[in-house]
Amino acid sequence: MKITVNIDVSPEEARHFFGLPDVEPLQKHIMDRVQKQVEATADPAYFGKLAAQFVSGGVQSMDAIQKTFTDLLRTSGSRRGGNGDSQSSD
């Protein structure tokens, strides 16, 4: 016998039912602090310099970025037990 039950509730209703706390005010407070910190330390010139570094290298710098991310993903996959794109000889 197979029984299926569909429950249509909002996330707030589910949290309340299971007795979980409402973390929305805390999340809003933390995000406001992060935003203020970023705005206080952000220098528009820095972002221009950062973009210029990527553009100045042209295709070579984009290839290097792509290779770096690919290597990171492969390493991450092998740590989780996946093999990424590499073939295992076991």
Side-chain angles (χ1 to χ4, degrees), residues 20-47:
L20 299 173
D22 182 14
V23 296
E24 188 175 345
L26 176 62
Q27 181 182 14
K28 182 172 175 11
H29 174 73
I30 290 172
M31 291 307 297
D32 288 342
R33 287 187 62 188
V34 168
Q35 183 177 0
K36 287 177 185 175
Q37 183 69 25
V38 168
E39 289 172 352
T41 58
D43 179 15
Y46 171 75
F47 296 110

Side-chain angles (χ1 to χ4, degrees), residues 73-75 77-78 81-87:
L73 291 173
R74 279 195 188 121
T75 303
S78 66
N83 62 356
D85 289 338
S86 62
Q87 296 292 326

Side-chain angles (χ1 to χ4, degrees), residues 61-79:
S61 67
M62 292 307 292
D63 287 341
I65 293 169
Q66 184 178 9
K67 182 181 182 314
T68 300
F69 281 119
T70 302
D71 292 345
L72 286 171
L73 291 173
R74 279 195 188 121
T75 303
S76 171
S78 66
R79 287 184 191 155

